[in-house]
């Protein structure tokens, strides 16, 4: 799975929350464009908005701060006009009005961000899944092995359905992948895909 584009529309004051929600998503094999990160990197807002027609899904992060944001409302309207799927992520159900009233989304649980990130991953998998019955895109994370002197790229395949990933998380069973070159094993949280630890190769 390559080439998918995710555009994240949000209020500037919600940048820290957005970065937390998408910190592990950005390790997956598709491009995530977080609005304010790119504006702060000298991209103009107009140039950034030009990414919306090329996006596969627009995630609208809706909070008290973004409810009256001209930019967020404009980006939602633009995505709607371009027929780009929108995935609302909100702190309060009341924020899902207007263009988004009839679109299913998910609630941000500030007191349980692990669950929120898990549900965000599930929502993205649903919105990006290929056409076909019961198909779930196989995601992966590729990263360099951190063992001294090991040149290998390690690939964690994420091919389990969301229900299985959550069950593993609830039972404290991490996802694991072993470097084929040095034998070191990496462990990740099945809910957030966050890194837990690396165990060196056993002799």
């Amino acid at each position: 799975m390559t080439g998918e584009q995710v555009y994240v529309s949000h209020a500037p004051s919600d940048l820290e929350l957005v970065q937390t929600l998408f910190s592990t998503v950005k390790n997956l094999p598709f491009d995530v464009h977080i609005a304010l990160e790119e504006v702060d990197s000298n991209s103009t807002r107009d140039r950034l908005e030009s990414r919306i027609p090329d996006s596969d899904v627009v995630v609208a992060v809706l909070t008290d701060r973004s409810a009256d944001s001209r930019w967020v409302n404009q980006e939602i309207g633009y995505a709607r006009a371009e027929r780009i799927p929108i995935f609302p992520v909100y702190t309060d159900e009341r924020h899902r009005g207007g263009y988004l009233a009839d679109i299913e989304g998910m609630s941000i649980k500030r007191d349980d961000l692990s669950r929120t990130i898990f549900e965000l991953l599930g929502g993205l998998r649903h919105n990006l899944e290929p056409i076909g019955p019961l198909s779930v895109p196989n995601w992966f994370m590729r990263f360099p092995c951190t063992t001294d002197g090991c040149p290998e790229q390690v690939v964690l395949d994420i091919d389990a359905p969301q229900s299985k990933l959550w069950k593993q998380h609830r039972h404290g069973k991490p996802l694991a992948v072993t470097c084929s070159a040095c034998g070191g094993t990496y462990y990740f949280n099945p809910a957030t895909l966050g890194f837990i630890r690396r165990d060196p190769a056993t002799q």
Side-chain angles (χ1 to χ4, degrees):
M1 179 173 113
T2 57
E4 282 80 3
Q5 305 282 327
V6 176
Y7 183 96
V8 185
S9 179
H10 65 94
S13 51
D14 286 327
L15 179 61
E16 185 176 344
L17 170 64
V18 170
Q19 288 174 324
T20 298
L21 293 177
F22 284 87
S23 59
T24 54
V25 175
K26 291 169 73 174
N27 295 328
L28 294 166
F30 51 83
D31 293 326
V32 177
H33 302 287
I34 295 176
L36 193 63
E37 283 186 344
E38 300 201 14
V39 170
D40 284 349
S41 300
N42 298 320
S43 292
T44 67
R45 194 82 191 209
D46 289 341
R47 183 178 171 192
L48 183 59
E49 283 183 355
S50 70
R51 295 187 186 275
I52 292 177
D54 297 324
S55 297
D56 295 285
V57 63
V58 170
V59 178
V61 180
L62 309 173
T63 67
D64 290 337
R65 296 166 173 171
S66 65
D68 298 320
S69 167
R70 178 172 65 92
W71 288 117
V72 172
N73 290 322
Q74 190 173 354
E75 287 166 349
I76 290 170
Y78 190 30
R80 206 45 201 254
E82 294 289 327
R83 300 181 185 275
I84 307 299
I86 303 172
F87 182 47
V89 177
Y90 45 84
T91 55
D92 190 313
E93 178 74 30
R94 291 173 296 178
H95 296 316
R96 193 170 57 91
Y99 287 124
L100 305 179
D102 59 343
I103 299 177
E104 185 176 347
M106 57 159 277
S107 174
I108 297 172
K109 303 171 181 66
R110 289 183 183 268
D111 59 344
D112 191 355
L113 284 179
S114 290
R115 180 72 193 223
T116 299
I117 294 170
F118 170 78
E119 291 176 356
L120 174 62
L121 289 169
L124 289 174
R125 289 180 88 163
H126 175 75
N127 279 280
L128 295 173
E129 69 180 350
I131 297 173
L134 303 179
S135 56
V136 176
N138 292 333
W139 289 5
F140 64 89
M141 291 196 301
R142 179 181 285 119
F143 53 92
C145 182
T146 58
T147 301
D148 287 343
C150 183
E152 192 70 11
Q153 290 282 316
V154 183
V155 178
L156 172 68
D157 288 313
I158 306 159
D159 54 6
Q162 292 298 113
S163 57
K164 184 175 179 181
L165 289 174
W166 187 250
K167 187 178 290 185
Q168 282 187 240
H169 170 72
R170 293 291 298 272
H171 289 91
K173 295 180 180 178
L175 298 172
V177 60
T178 298
C179 175
S180 60
C182 71
T185 301
Y186 294 81
Y187 297 91
F188 297 85
N189 184 327
T192 65
L193 303 184
F195 175 73
I196 299 174
R197 69 179 193 278
R198 177 180 66 84
D199 289 346
T202 55
Q203 302 298 325

